Amino acid sequence: MIGTIVNTCTIATGAVVGSILKKGIKPQYQDSLFNAMGFAATALGINAVVSHMPDSQYPVLFIVSLAIGSLLGSVIDLDAKFQKLVSKYASAGLGQGLSSACLLYCIGTLSILGPVMSALYGDHTYLFTNATLDLVTSTVFASTYGIGMILAAPILFAWQGSIYLLAYYGAGSFFSDSLMCELSIVGGILIASSGLSILKIKDCKTLNMLPALLVPILFFVVKGIVGF
């Protein structure tokens, strides 16, 4: 799991460096950083959707996933519970930053396929590449939201560690190109919606949409069992 450990450490390092830089940033310039993060998240999300949509074998699946996932998340009200939990220890703005950062760190080809390649072939290239990108992203996020962004590090470790263990103990073949494509489309929409929230264009309550990521996984599980 060396790749995942390195990736986790880069996020923590970026959070520390970014929080130090934040102290030297005047309040009037912090809005510029918020806007930059919002536009970056929106652009990355749209790019993920546009890049993978042509390869989707189930073009309606992402719509069904978003509908079912958003409904389930709204019933549970994941967003409110997460914001309430974070607000106990820090500002409400940190909750928005953490949710956006975790989506960027965890929902992507490098972060999902990387642990699989690491577990099956000992190839850490994807994770080392992802670590480099996350170092920069974490630094910028922490310079905007503060040292609390370091909490994203253990979340990433749990996410990638779980995928690594699943792949290592025999589920590697489950992470097919088709599943990765569908997850990337749904994940891209969630990342883009997070960007819109940061820009204050619309409060999309992205965390309430998070269960949408489970729908493609369950679809492929049922597909594998039934064989359709």
Side-chain angles (χ1 to χ4, degrees):
M1 290 180 65
I2 184 64
T4 293
I5 293 173
V6 169
N7 201 165
T8 303
C9 290
T10 56
I11 290 177
T13 300
V16 172
V17 173
S19 64
I20 294 174
L21 293 176
K22 178 179 173 63
K23 297 177 181 178
I25 299 175
K26 296 181 179 180
Q28 60 265 37
Y29 299 138
Q30 291 185 9
D31 282 344
S32 297
L33 285 175
F34 276 104
N35 289 336
M37 284 293 90
F39 282 120
T42 303
L44 288 171
I46 293 174
N47 179 67
V49 175
V50 173
S51 298
H52 292 89
M53 189 73 77
D55 299 323
S56 175
Q57 299 178 13
Y58 311 96
V60 182
L61 182 57
F62 83 95
I63 301 175
V64 176
S65 299
L66 289 170
I68 295 176
S70 297
L71 180 60
L72 178 60
S74 296
V75 170
I76 301 174
D77 204 358
L78 292 173
D79 186 81
K81 287 181 171 59
F82 180 77
Q83 299 296 344
K84 183 178 180 180
L85 176 64
V86 173
S87 64
K88 288 182 179 179
Y89 306 99
S91 64
L94 176 61
Q96 184 181 70
L98 272 175
S99 61
S100 301
C102 289
L103 284 170
L104 285 171
Y105 298 151
C106 298
I107 310 304
T109 302
L110 293 175
S111 194
I112 297 175
L113 187 58
V116 176
M117 296 295 291
S118 179
L120 297 182
Y121 309 108
D123 183 356
H124 309 302
T125 304
Y126 282 7
L127 288 177
F128 288 159
T129 301
N130 199 52
T132 303
L133 296 172
D134 287 349
L135 174 62
V136 177
T137 306
S138 178
T139 301
V140 177
F141 263 108
S143 67
T144 305
Y145 294 100
I147 189 62
M149 294 304 299
I150 200 171
L151 295 174
I155 294 175
L156 175 97
F157 181 80
W159 170 259
Q160 289 188 358
S162 298
I163 295 175
Y164 178 93
L165 292 174
L166 284 172
Y168 187 82
Y169 289 106
S173 59
F174 176 71
F175 295 92
S176 63
D177 290 341
S178 296
L179 174 57
M180 291 295 298
C181 178
E182 302 304 329
L183 285 175
S184 295
I185 293 173
V186 177
I189 293 173
L190 297 188
I191 293 171
S193 71
S194 181
L196 294 178
S197 296
I198 293 176
L199 291 170
K200 301 187 185 304
I201 294 176
K202 179 176 178 58
D203 184 5
C204 301
K205 299 187 182 302
T206 307
L207 286 179
N208 282 348
M209 302 165 65
L210 204 56
L213 290 167
L214 296 175
V215 179
I217 295 175
L218 293 176
F219 173 80
F220 276 84
V221 169
V222 173
K223 179 177 179 293
I225 295 174
V226 178
F228 61 86

